[in-house]
Amino acid sequence: TPVRCDNCGHIFVVAAPGPELYDVSGTQSTAVDASDPAKMAGSGSTTNKAGWSHYLVLDFEATCEEKGLPDAATQASWSEIIEFPCVLVDATTLQVVSEFSTFVNPTGEKRQLTKFCTKLTSITQEDVDGAPTLDKVLKQFEMWLPEVLGSHDTSRVLPVTCGEPDLSAMLP
């Protein structure tokens, strides 16, 4: 069953025959152990076989410049999140539970978006100028997730991203 993010347009699917959730929208595919929904049907369980209750699908957009290696490695040191979209998906039914999305106002030394960044992300300077800063967005997110889960226990929520840097480098 495909799941489309209304905010970023990426499509995530469970690939057959394997038990993996893939982002099939871009040039990269990201997979996580998602278990086979057919095997879970009718089980009455609120989690899949891997024990996850939900997938939190994230696809941050960040400030960027058009530069090649070795400059690409240094870009991670100053790049900032400018869009924070996520979709909470039920791990058993693969149905969208809720979505959270906001632009983020960058606060670092390179807060002016480049033409390349706007072309790549479709995010304009006007989009981010009136947006909350990342610290405020994280507070909003920290209130949203437990509210939609009905619990502060997020131990069975698996983050899924379009790229590893979304979690390893972009979040403080």
Side-chain angles (χ1 to χ4, degrees), residues 46-47 51-57 86-92 95-100 140-159:
T46 58
T47 61
W52 303 112
S53 64
H54 296 84
Y55 302 120
L56 183 63
V57 183
C86 64
V87 178
L88 186 66
V89 177
D90 183 288
T92 302
Q95 296 299 306
V96 174
V97 174
S98 185
E99 296 182 28
F100 176 92
Q140 293 171 354
F141 177 77
E142 288 172 359
M143 291 180 358
W144 169 80
L145 186 57
E147 182 179 314
V148 297
L149 286 173
S151 169
H152 286 278
D153 180 8
T154 59
S155 63
R156 295 184 309 129
V157 177
L158 178 67

Side-chain angles (χ1 to χ4, degrees), residues 12-34:
F12 296 86
V13 297
V14 173
E20 298 166 329
L21 184 67
Y22 281 94
D23 170 13
V24 295
S25 305
T27 57
Q28 297 178 350
S29 291
T30 302
V32 296
D33 183 359

